[in-house]
Amino acid sequence: MSLKAPPLAAGIFYYSLPTFFTGLLFILVFSIYLGWLPFIYSSTIEARGVAWVLEHLRQGAMPMTVLGLFEAAALTRFARSAMLEVINQDYITTARAKGLPERLTVLKHALRNALIPVVTVVALQIPTIFTGAVITEQIFRVPGIGSLLIAAIESTDTPVVTAITFVYAALVILFNLLADLVYGLLDPRIPYG
């Protein structure tokens, strides 16, 4: 009996955990029990050069991992289902019947067509990372745009809230435009007109 969990179960597990719970769990394990990483982000680092960059990476490791796990879990589940849907199509069977190697069949024909819906999910997830970072920034005390948004809401600073909302909306439009451009690269049959 194998103890290794299938990839689908791991994806469902990470997707079902909210970022605030995962963040607190990471703080408990990596900061309190192991003492490897700081749990409060300090913007006043006195090091210079490479040491400054390494310290920022060390402090940002947990927030980036928390955001990345959630988004990667959703993306892998969606990519898996898109690939399973494409792999049983007639043109894949035809490519195999022509004698193409399995690796070439999967990479050139199946993956290229399975990536079209995945690009849509990625285009929607990237702005979600910024909006989801509001909660993660509060957990790890990162002085970012999410912290600025919370402070502006608490002090009823309407222009700042409007500006940040505008930035989020611009990110959604920008990444949807990029997704439309990538569609044309993946499938030349998709018209731009």
Side-chain angles (χ1 to χ4, degrees):
M1 180 177 191
S2 176
L3 296 175
K4 185 177 178 184
L8 181 63
I12 291 172
F13 176 73
Y14 288 125
Y15 188 70
S16 65
L17 292 176
T19 55
F20 65 86
F21 178 77
T22 311
L24 293 174
L25 192 65
F26 273 39
I27 288 172
L28 186 67
V29 171
F30 294 109
S31 295
I32 295 175
Y33 287 142
L34 298 175
W36 291 350
L37 299 168
F39 61 90
I40 294 178
Y41 195 94
S42 173
S43 58
T44 57
I45 297 173
E46 299 190 12
R48 298 280 181 243
V50 176
W52 182 83
V53 172
L54 291 175
E55 184 60 28
H56 273 288
L57 287 175
R58 184 173 164 264
Q59 290 186 29
M62 284 196 298
M64 289 186 288
T65 306
V66 165
L67 287 171
L69 273 177
F70 181 76
E71 298 299 333
L75 186 62
T76 54
R77 287 183 64 226
F78 196 81
R80 179 181 184 273
S81 66
M83 192 65 167
L84 287 175
E85 183 179 321
V86 168
I87 204 78
N88 293 324
Q89 296 292 326
D90 291 339
Y91 62 91
I92 300 296
T93 307
T94 305
R96 287 180 179 143
K98 286 181 177 180
L100 284 176
E102 185 67 20
R103 180 181 174 121
L104 184 64
T105 303
V106 170
L107 289 177
K108 187 174 180 184
H109 298 288
L111 183 63
R112 189 170 184 164
N113 288 313
L115 281 179
I116 292 173
V118 173
V119 166
T120 305
V121 172
V122 170
L124 294 174
Q125 277 185 340
I126 293 175
T128 304
I129 290 173
F130 289 100
T131 57
V134 172
I135 296 169
T136 307
E137 286 177 7
Q138 293 301 306
I139 293 170
F140 293 104
R141 300 289 183 239
V142 177
I145 194 168
S147 300
L148 178 63
L149 178 63
I150 296 295
I153 290 171
E154 288 175 351
S155 64
T156 61
D157 191 357
T158 307
V160 174
V161 173
T162 305
I164 293 172
T165 306
F166 178 76
V167 168
Y168 287 153
L171 286 172
V172 170
I173 292 169
L174 174 71
F175 284 106
N176 278 320
L177 176 66
L178 288 175
D180 287 342
L181 295 174
V182 172
Y183 292 154
L185 295 174
L186 291 174
D187 190 357
R189 296 172 299 170
I190 297 176
Y192 284 118

